Amino acid sequence: MPGVKLLTKLDPPTCLKIAWRSAQNLGYSLTPIEECSKRFTATKGNLLMSALAGSLAPRCHFEIAVEAYPDAVEVMLERNTPWLTSGAGGVTKVNRQAEELMQSIACAIEKAGGAILERKEF
Protein backbone atom coordinates (compact mmCIF):
# COMPACT_ATOMS: atom_id res chain seq x y z
CA MET A 1 0.00 0.00 0.00
CA PRO A 2 1.28 3.49 -0.75
CA GLY A 3 1.61 5.99 2.04
CA VAL A 4 3.52 8.65 3.92
CA LYS A 5 5.85 8.52 6.89
CA LEU A 6 7.15 11.11 9.31
CA LEU A 7 10.27 10.90 11.44
CA THR A 8 10.37 12.56 14.86
CA LYS A 9 12.14 12.27 18.23
CA LEU A 10 8.91 12.21 20.25
CA ASP A 11 8.35 8.92 22.10
CA PRO A 12 6.30 6.19 20.33
CA PRO A 13 3.31 5.96 22.74
CA THR A 14 2.80 9.72 22.55
CA CYS A 15 3.05 9.66 18.76
CA LEU A 16 0.45 6.89 18.55
CA LYS A 17 -1.95 8.73 20.86
CA ILE A 18 -1.47 11.96 18.90
CA ALA A 19 -2.16 10.18 15.61
CA TRP A 20 -5.25 8.46 17.06
CA ARG A 21 -6.64 11.72 18.44
CA SER A 22 -5.95 13.56 15.15
CA ALA A 23 -7.85 10.90 13.19
CA GLN A 24 -10.71 11.01 15.70
CA ASN A 25 -10.91 14.81 15.40
CA LEU A 26 -11.24 14.47 11.61
CA GLY A 27 -14.19 12.08 11.95
CA TYR A 28 -12.59 8.71 11.22
CA SER A 29 -13.88 5.48 12.74
CA LEU A 30 -10.99 4.01 14.70
CA THR A 31 -9.89 0.69 16.11
CA PRO A 32 -9.07 0.95 19.83
CA ILE A 33 -5.51 1.34 21.05
CA GLU A 34 -3.98 0.05 24.27
CA GLU A 35 -0.77 0.82 26.13
CA CYS A 36 1.21 -1.78 24.14
CA SER A 37 -0.34 -0.92 20.74
CA LYS A 38 1.85 0.11 17.84
CA ARG A 39 -0.88 0.58 15.21
CA PHE A 40 -4.54 1.29 14.54
CA THR A 41 -6.92 1.50 11.60
CA ALA A 42 -8.82 4.64 10.60
CA THR A 43 -11.73 4.41 8.17
CA LYS A 44 -14.16 6.88 6.71
CA GLY A 45 -16.95 6.16 4.29
CA ASN A 46 -18.88 3.05 3.38
CA LEU A 47 -17.76 0.33 0.98
CA LEU A 48 -21.24 -0.07 -0.48
CA MET A 49 -21.68 3.68 -0.99
CA SER A 50 -18.23 3.82 -2.56
CA ALA A 51 -19.24 1.14 -5.04
CA LEU A 52 -22.53 2.88 -5.85
CA ALA A 53 -21.43 6.54 -5.85
CA GLY A 54 -17.94 5.98 -7.22
CA SER A 55 -15.64 8.97 -6.92
CA LEU A 56 -18.31 11.02 -5.14
CA ALA A 57 -18.02 8.92 -1.97
CA PRO A 58 -14.72 7.00 -1.86
CA ARG A 59 -13.96 4.87 1.18
CA CYS A 60 -10.80 5.72 3.09
CA HIS A 61 -9.01 2.87 4.84
CA PHE A 62 -5.78 3.95 6.52
CA GLU A 63 -3.35 1.88 8.57
CA ILE A 64 -1.37 4.08 10.98
CA ALA A 65 1.67 2.59 12.73
CA VAL A 66 4.44 3.86 14.96
CA GLU A 67 7.86 2.25 15.10
CA ALA A 68 10.89 3.23 17.19
CA TYR A 69 14.40 3.17 15.73
CA PRO A 70 17.68 4.17 17.40
CA ASP A 71 17.81 7.56 15.67
CA ALA A 72 14.09 8.46 15.36
CA VAL A 73 10.47 7.38 15.68
CA GLU A 74 8.56 6.69 12.48
CA VAL A 75 4.87 7.51 12.15
CA MET A 76 3.56 5.77 9.04
CA LEU A 77 0.21 6.07 7.25
CA GLU A 78 -0.61 3.48 4.57
CA ARG A 79 -3.60 4.40 2.40
CA ASN A 80 -5.90 2.39 0.18
CA THR A 81 -6.23 3.00 -3.55
CA PRO A 82 -9.87 2.40 -4.49
CA TRP A 83 -9.43 2.08 -8.29
CA LEU A 84 -12.10 -0.58 -8.74
CA THR A 85 -14.87 1.11 -6.75
CA SER A 86 -14.26 4.80 -7.39
CA GLY A 87 -11.75 5.31 -10.20
CA ALA A 88 -9.11 8.03 -10.50
CA GLY A 89 -11.33 10.69 -8.91
CA GLY A 90 -11.82 8.55 -5.83
CA VAL A 91 -8.11 7.80 -5.54
CA THR A 92 -7.39 11.54 -5.69
CA LYS A 93 -9.89 12.20 -2.89
CA VAL A 94 -8.44 9.40 -0.74
CA ASN A 95 -4.93 10.80 -1.29
CA ARG A 96 -6.14 14.27 -0.32
CA GLN A 97 -7.74 12.96 2.88
CA ALA A 98 -4.58 11.00 3.76
CA GLU A 99 -2.56 14.18 3.26
CA GLU A 100 -4.97 16.13 5.48
CA LEU A 101 -4.69 13.50 8.23
CA MET A 102 -0.89 13.37 8.04
CA GLN A 103 -0.70 17.18 8.16
CA SER A 104 -2.93 17.14 11.25
CA ILE A 105 -0.68 14.54 12.89
CA ALA A 106 2.45 16.57 12.07
CA CYS A 107 0.94 19.74 13.56
CA ALA A 108 -0.11 17.88 16.71
CA ILE A 109 3.39 16.41 17.12
CA GLU A 110 4.88 19.89 16.88
CA LYS A 111 2.35 21.25 19.39
CA ALA A 112 3.37 18.46 21.79
CA GLY A 113 6.99 19.65 21.63
CA GLY A 114 8.27 17.29 18.95
CA ALA A 115 9.86 18.21 15.66
CA ILE A 116 9.32 16.63 12.27
CA LEU A 117 12.79 15.53 11.18
CA GLU A 118 11.80 14.16 7.79
CA ARG A 119 8.79 13.32 5.67
CA LYS A 120 8.78 10.65 2.95
CA GLU A 121 6.19 9.28 0.57
CA PHE A 122 6.36 5.66 -0.48
Side-chain angles (χ1 to χ4, degrees):
M1 289 176 86
V4 180
K5 61 183 168 181
L6 301 174
L7 298 178
T8 183
K9 293 283 188 178
L10 205 58
D11 63 291
T14 302
C15 288
L16 188 69
K17 289 175 187 173
I18 285 172
W20 196 89
R21 181 66 64 195
S22 296
Q24 184 183 44
N25 290 344
L26 291 174
Y28 288 87
S29 297
L30 307 170
T31 56
I33 57 172
E34 299 175 11
E35 290 300 317
C36 60
S37 296
K38 288 187 167 189
R39 64 185 323 116
F40 66 92
T41 302
T43 57
K44 189 185 276 189
N46 182 300
L47 188 57
L48 179 61
M49 285 301 296
S50 179
L52 294 174
S55 64
L56 298 176
R59 180 172 188 264
C60 296
H61 181 93
F62 302 144
E63 295 289 330
I64 294 105
V66 174
E67 190 64 48
Y69 295 100
D71 57 339
V73 172
E74 180 182 78
V75 180
M76 182 173 53
L77 182 149
E78 292 181 358
R79 65 182 180 267
N80 61 319
T81 50
W83 280 105
L84 294 176
T85 57
S86 59
V91 171
T92 300
K93 286 182 181 181
V94 168
N95 291 347
R96 192 175 321 123
Q97 289 188 352
E99 179 60 34
E100 178 185 10
L101 176 54
M102 213 44 169
Q103 187 61 37
S104 176
I105 293 169
C107 288
I109 287 172
E110 289 173 343
K111 284 182 185 176
I116 303 302
L117 305 173
E118 189 175 348
R119 177 194 161 101
K120 293 181 183 177
E121 292 200 25
F122 58 92

